[in-house]
Amino acid sequence: MEAVPPSEHLDGDGASGIGSANSAGPFGGWVALRNLVWGTPQFLRLWLAQLVTSTGEWVFFLAVSIKAAQVGPGTPEGAVALVLLARLGPGFFLSQLAGVLADRWDRRKLMAVCDVARAGVVCAFPFVSHVWQLVLLSLVLEAFTLLWIPSKEALVPNLLPTKHLPTANTLSVLATYGTFPLAIFLMWVFERSSDDGTVAGFFFDAGTFAVSAMLIWSIVVPKRTANQQTTSRSIDSNKFHWRGLFSEMRGGWITIFGDPTLRAVNFGLAVGLIGGAMLATLGRVYLDEVLLEVDSSFALLWGFGVGVVVGVLTLLVVAQRINRPWVFSRALLVAGVALFLATSVDQLGLVVILLGLTGASVGIVYILGFTLIQETTDDETRGRVFAAFYSVARVGVLLMVVAAPALTVLFDRVTELTADGAVPILGRRLLIPGVRITFWLAALIIVGAGVFAVRTLRGVGNSGKGPATLRSVT
């Protein structure tokens, strides 16, 4: 299966079936969305496959959490954490290998094979009776998922013109996270309609993988022109040779750290995820110790989540009329500043509003960051670059989840000894428990990443390289 020509061969009303950006009106949003979904049948199949599997993955997440609590000895929380860690762990060691294989092999066939394999693995979950079996199956399942994800991200630019990548990435995020409420409802139905709802949940997930495999297998990727042919991507034994494998894995990291744009974008994306990880880890502590709002345990996450939705939908409307590198770097700055301000005030309503601004900025950073990676990398290395990003993101989130509570305790000790837990500011005593200082530290790291992105992406346009093609405001 060959790669698609560069975007100039797909723009306009030709092969892609999508009208020009100008046909979408002054903001190029909703009409572009309609044209993207209904005018590109190959992308539509890929998106529907993601929509289906995302629903199944969330149902699986709920089912496996219940199953781990049922079969785990001791505390249920420990068993659940162990199983979830089994899903995160392989990414640290195998993601770059997965990226290399995604760049070597036919991505469409690789994704379909992975979906079939994942369906088979998930079908074994209802029959386990020990936590170690759940962990082993989770490790195998994650290995196939690691192959699927970079293949999917690298395949998207082969199906669309470059100008439609922000809209495509927005749809991807909506498919990934917007299906969670539906999954909760489905799991509730499974629990009410049977003695053990996890069984129905697991088989439902397996079914979604089977549907996804059929959809992806039916995708036809446009071929390159004669002077753009590259090495074929057939899944055969000749492609699975170990010579040069580690050098190719290293090449993915060299590509990221050697290219200023990729370095700034990957760093910004990884750091931008800190906000969500921090809220999930310390949000309840902040409510209890600073805001004294014990009964509003999900208020902070709700504000952040609503903000992400607003940011994503806003970007959906204006994506084709903005300088993406410029907006990416400024949104990263706004996210850090908003998080700092949100954790500096003591009124719950104001905190929720500021966290909404943080979430909106993080949503924009996420969408535009993925778009810039897709625009900047060529087809031969795109899988490795995305795999490297997911490795960095996983490490960053895991470190934050582990380090944030420890830093909170450390700062608590320091402030109790040096400032009696509060400092005078503008005639008021501002409480500075460890959780507030930890949030401040995270906010300053995000601001630092924003400053780095502003300096690095100055003059970079929507192609991801060179001077801005749209109006630059740097």
Side-chain angles (χ1 to χ4, degrees):
M1 189 62 58
E2 302 295 338
V4 77
S7 59
E8 59 265 22
H9 295 282
L10 285 175
D11 286 339
D13 300 320
S16 72
I18 307 177
S20 65
N22 292 334
S23 68
F27 293 102
W30 300 114
V31 176
L33 174 62
R34 183 194 64 195
N35 292 340
L36 177 64
V37 173
W38 301 115
T40 54
Q42 310 310 322
F43 171 76
L44 177 60
R45 292 174 187 175
L46 180 62
W47 183 72
L48 288 175
Q50 184 184 5
L51 185 70
V52 170
T53 54
S54 294
T55 305
E57 284 273 49
W58 283 121
V59 170
F60 172 83
F61 171 77
L62 297 171
V64 79
S65 299
I66 297 172
K67 188 72 172 181
Q70 290 174 349
V71 303
T75 60
E77 294 84 357
V80 173
L82 190 61
V83 172
L84 295 181
L85 184 61
R87 295 298 303 270
L88 286 174
F92 303 140
F93 310 103
L94 300 178
S95 60
Q96 270 306 100
L97 174 60
V100 171
L101 297 179
D103 285 336
R104 285 187 176 189
W105 288 345
D106 185 318
R107 292 166 183 150
R108 176 186 67 92
K109 294 179 181 178
L110 181 60
M111 292 170 66
V113 169
C114 287
D115 275 333
V116 173
R118 291 197 290 178
V121 174
V122 170
C123 285
F125 273 83
F127 306 103
V128 304
S129 55
H130 297 88
V131 171
W132 69 266
Q133 296 170 336
L134 283 179
V135 171
L136 180 61
L137 287 174
S138 296
L139 288 171
V140 176
L141 182 64
E142 185 63 15
F144 289 110
T145 302
L146 286 173
L147 285 169
W148 197 92
I149 292 176
S151 299
K152 177 261 175 184
E153 301 297 351
L155 182 62
V156 171
N158 293 350
L159 305 177
L160 296 168
T162 299
K163 65 185 179 183
H164 290 287
L165 288 177
T167 306
N169 289 328
T170 301
L171 289 173
S172 177
V173 170
L174 292 176
T176 300
Y177 299 104
T179 52
F180 184 56
L182 174 60
I184 295 176
F185 172 75
L186 290 173
M187 198 62 209
W188 176 81
V189 172
F190 297 151
E191 287 284 294
R192 288 297 187 93
S193 58
S194 64
D195 295 333
D196 187 358
T198 63
V199 175
F202 289 133
F203 283 118
F204 174 83
D205 186 30
T208 63
F209 285 135
V211 172
S212 174
M214 290 186 290
L215 285 169
I216 292 172
W217 190 263
S218 67
I219 293 174
V220 178
V221 181
K223 294 183 178 181
R224 283 179 177 264
T225 58
N227 62 343
Q228 294 168 331
Q229 294 289 346
T230 59
T231 304
S232 65
R233 296 180 182 276
S234 58
I235 299 183
D236 53 45
S237 59
N238 293 330
K239 290 289 182 175
F240 198 79
H241 54 80
W242 295 99
R243 181 179 300 173
L245 181 63
F246 292 103
S247 64
E248 289 188 41
M249 293 170 62
R250 184 182 61 182
W253 292 105
I254 293 175
T255 301
I256 286 181
F257 291 108
D259 185 284
T261 299
L262 285 177
R263 186 166 61 242
V265 170
N266 276 275
F267 182 53
L269 278 170
V271 170
L273 295 176
I274 287 178
M278 288 281 291
L279 286 174
T281 306
L282 297 178
R284 179 62 179 268
V285 178
Y286 190 83
L287 281 166
D288 292 348
E289 295 187 5
V290 179
L291 301 180
L292 305 178
E293 296 282 353
V294 181
D295 298 329
S296 304
S297 57
F298 293 104
L300 303 188
L301 282 175
W302 181 86
F304 182 86
V306 170
V308 170
V309 173
V310 172
V312 167
L313 292 179
T314 301
L315 192 61
L316 187 64
V317 176
V318 303
Q320 297 184 30
R321 292 292 185 269
I322 61 175
N323 183 335
R324 293 191 278 275
W326 190 93
V327 174
F328 172 85
S329 55
R330 271 62 181 186
L332 196 55
L333 274 175
V334 172
V337 172
L339 180 61
F340 189 90
L341 293 176
T343 52
S344 300
V345 297
D346 298 327
Q347 292 77 32
L348 178 61
L350 185 55
V351 171
V352 171
I353 292 173
L354 289 169
L355 285 179
L357 178 59
T358 304
S361 302
V362 168
I364 291 172
V365 165
Y366 192 81
I367 299 295
L368 294 185
F370 266 57
T371 302
L372 289 171
I373 293 176
Q374 291 166 336
E375 291 177 340
T376 303
T377 54
D378 58 45
D379 188 62
E380 301 305 313
T381 60
R382 193 177 294 127
R384 277 166 281 175
V385 171
F386 271 108
F389 158 68
Y390 279 111
S391 294
V392 172
R394 284 169 182 254
V395 171
V397 170
L398 185 61
L399 285 177
M400 184 55 60
V401 169
V402 173
L407 287 173
T408 298
V409 173
L410 175 62
F411 289 140
D412 271 331
R413 299 288 179 84
V414 172
T415 56
E416 288 173 2
L417 293 175
T418 59
D420 195 26
V423 292
I425 296 180
L426 300 178
R428 297 178 54 192
R429 284 179 57 83
L430 179 68
L431 293 175
I432 50 171
V435 63
R436 171 169 270 168
I437 299 177
T438 304
F439 271 114
W440 283 347
L441 178 61
L444 291 176
I445 292 174
I446 297 175
V447 169
V451 172
F452 177 68
V454 168
R455 294 175 61 87
T456 303
L457 300 179
R458 182 178 287 117
V460 177
N462 282 340
S463 64
K465 300 176 182 178
T469 57
L470 297 181
R471 182 178 65 88
S472 177
V473 198
T474 53

